[in-house]
């Protein structure tokens, strides 16, 4: 298997909404974003699939070294071998990849966030930086497009957090800020024990409304000159926002299940966005 085949299989097997947006890119950009996405999946899987924190920390340390050696011209992992030919063309820097690893490290170091600014810092590393790199691969000419990408990354990560409240709780993590749990009188043990209540629903409505507001802020920042190039990001935004609306319509039943859209629906949303341009 070549590095290119490896990252393609990694992206396709994930079933991620990102994969459907990649399909509409020209081959060179598609190859670059697929390799970058595979790298992100690799380091994220360390946290999600390795149950021993010490082993996970060792693996993340290995990835830090792999990034350094790859940018020195000696990649060894197939994801990095597939990515390195594209880093100059799309201004992908080692610091971008290290930031993603730093975000995954935060998952090992803490399982609670006291307030939204603390959560926002985490989202910046695992989603905002990813959005910045992706926007560069898609093609951008304005600085405000970078700001748009960071905002969009934040909105999509907040959507992930809403969707995955139950899954994350089963891993002992609660990303909903402690200050907001307290505001709505929702105890962490209720989330961990899948306890639904009117208080929990009110908390989740607040989370969803904030995410919608940030989607709107992000889209307002995207300049018209870059809108066509950034269509893959708009596809992902539409897929994620549709998912968020599904969760809202279902009454935020996220503690006992992981709500998702079908592959056909994701592809339809991506195609419709490509056709409409928004």
């Amino acid at each position: 298997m070549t590095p290119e085949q490896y990252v393609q299989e990694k992206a396709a097997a994930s079933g991620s909404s990102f994969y459907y947006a990649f399909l509409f890119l020209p081959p060179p950009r598609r190859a670059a974003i697929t390799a970058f996405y595979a790298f992100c999946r690799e380091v994220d899987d360390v946290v999600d699939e390795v149950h021993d924190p010490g082993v996970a920390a060792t693996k993340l340390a290995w990835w830090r070294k792999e990034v350094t050696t790859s940018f020195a011209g000696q990649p060894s992992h197939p994801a990095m071998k597939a990515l390195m030919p594209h880093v100059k063309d799309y201004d992908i820097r080692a610091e971008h990849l290290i930031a993603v690893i730093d975000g995954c490290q935060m998952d090992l170091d803490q399982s609670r966030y006291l307030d939204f600014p603390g959560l926002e810092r985490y989202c910046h590393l695992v989603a905002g930086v990813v959005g910045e790199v992706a926007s560069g691969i898609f093609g951008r000419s304005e600085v405000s497009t970078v700001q748009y990408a960071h905002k969009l990354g934040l909105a999509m990560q907040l959507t992930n957090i809403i969707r995955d409240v139950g899954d994350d709780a089963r891993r002992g993590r609660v990303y909903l800020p402690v200050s907001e749990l307290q505001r709505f009188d929702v105890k962490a043990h209720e989330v961990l024990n899948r306890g639904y209540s009117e208080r929990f629903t009110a908390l989740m409505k607040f989370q969803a409304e904030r995410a919608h507001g940030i989607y709107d802020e992000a889209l307002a920042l995207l300049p018209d000159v870059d809108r066509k190039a950034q269509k893959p990001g708009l596809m992902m935004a539409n897929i994620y926002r549709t998912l968020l609306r599904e969760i809202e319509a279902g009454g935020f039943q996220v503690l006992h299940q992981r709500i998702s859209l079908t592959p056909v629906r994701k592809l339809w949303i991506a195609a419709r966005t490509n056709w409409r341009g928004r």
Side-chain angles (χ1 to χ4, degrees), residues 90-123:
Y90 303 113
D91 192 29
I92 303 169
R93 301 187 295 275
E95 65 197 63
H96 292 136
L97 307 191
I98 295 298
V100 175
I101 297 172
D102 286 344
C104 293
Q105 184 70 47
M106 287 182 73
D107 277 326
L108 297 182
D109 296 340
Q110 64 185 100
S111 58
R112 303 285 192 277
Y113 292 87
L114 293 178
D115 52 25
F116 185 66
L119 180 63
E120 210 170 4
R121 168 63 180 163
Y122 168 75
C123 292

Side-chain angles (χ1 to χ4, degrees), residues 63-77 80-81 84 97:
W63 272 106
R64 291 179 192 278
K65 183 178 179 181
E66 173 67 4
V67 169
T68 300
T69 56
S70 294
F71 276 82
Q74 295 180 309
S76 62
H77 193 280
M80 295 304 296
K81 288 182 177 180
M84 292 312 298
L97 307 191

Side-chain angles (χ1 to χ4, degrees), residues 34-61:
T34 300
F36 176 63
Y37 176 76
F39 162 80
C40 294
R41 280 255 50 93
E42 290 286 350
V43 295
D44 191 57
D45 286 348
V46 169
V47 175
D48 286 343
E49 297 178 2
V50 179
H51 301 297
D52 184 322
V55 174
T58 300
K59 285 180 175 289
L60 289 182

